[in-house]
Amino acid sequence: MNAVHVIYDLAAHPEYIQALRDEIRQVWDEDGGLKKTSFVKLRRLDSFLKESQRFNPPSLLSYHRVMQHDHVLESGMLLLRNSHICMAVNAIQNDPEVTPDPKTFDGWRYYRLREEPSEGHKHQFAMTESTSLNFGHGKYACPGRFFASLEIKSS
């Protein structure tokens, strides 16, 4: 579904097309075609994919669970056995404290973040973090997210 949203977002924001084509062409020329190792060099494309997914999330809620036992949170709230719980992942990633100006589509948002010192390996489409939970996080992160990223980028 994300690939379809990327196409829609390209149609809605054609100002990104030429820069993305230029990036792909440059990496193609440098690597003599697109190889698996080439895809990590497509930082603008990766940023556009992540922003498209943020703007068009696969789900508004995630981590759907059923409580097996009663559990008291640190706040004192009681979660009863058999209660259905989930996380509002879309609300988390679109909180203005997490994502400045979240109502604006910015295809280079994550590209710029990755240019910051010590941030180059973060903010990638297939990476998870506590504020970007579309692929889960921690030991429950989707194992197919890297394959999905490669498939979308090679489409």
Side-chain angles (χ1 to χ4, degrees):
M1 193 65 183
N2 188 259
V4 172
H5 286 294
V6 168
I7 293 168
Y8 289 157
D9 287 330
L10 281 171
H13 305 280
E15 65 273 16
Y16 291 99
I17 294 172
Q18 190 58 51
L20 291 169
R21 291 182 71 176
D22 291 346
E23 180 182 64
I24 294 166
R25 186 173 291 117
Q26 178 183 347
V27 170
W28 181 285
D29 292 344
E30 288 173 3
D31 292 0
L34 288 179
K35 303 172 181 145
K36 185 179 176 189
T37 55
S38 304
F39 290 99
V40 296
K41 298 176 183 177
L42 299 172
R43 288 182 165 215
R44 289 184 186 273
L45 178 59
D46 191 87
S47 177
F48 193 90
L49 294 179
K50 189 168 179 80
E51 181 72 350
S52 179
Q53 186 179 63
R54 184 189 69 79
F55 228 69
N56 309 282
S59 177
L60 300 179
L61 303 171
S62 190
Y63 291 102
H64 302 272
R65 302 288 187 267
V66 177
M67 298 300 296
Q68 299 297 310
H69 308 281
D70 289 355
H71 182 79
V72 179
L73 300 175
E74 289 179 15
S75 66
M77 176 184 261
L78 172 64
L79 301 176
L80 296 173
R81 180 178 182 269
N82 293 324
S83 295
H84 290 255
I85 62 169
C86 57
M87 290 183 65
V89 295
N90 190 54
I92 292 169
Q93 70 185 5
N94 286 302
D95 181 329
E97 291 185 20
V98 171
T99 305
D101 197 16
K103 293 183 180 182
T104 300
F105 185 93
D106 179 359
W108 305 152
R109 182 185 306 273
Y110 300 102
Y111 176 81
R112 287 191 306 279
L113 287 172
R114 289 180 70 189
E115 288 187 322
E116 295 294 320
S118 76
E119 298 289 309
H121 64 289
K122 297 179 182 177
H123 314 292
Q124 297 178 53
F125 175 67
M127 299 307 239
T128 71
E129 50 193 301
S130 63
T131 56
S132 180
L133 302 165
N134 289 311
F135 288 118
H137 190 54
K139 68 180 183 178
Y140 299 109
C142 174
R145 66 191 188 274
F146 301 105
F147 177 72
S149 176
L150 285 173
E151 285 296 302
I152 294 169
K153 289 176 183 178
S154 64
S155 296

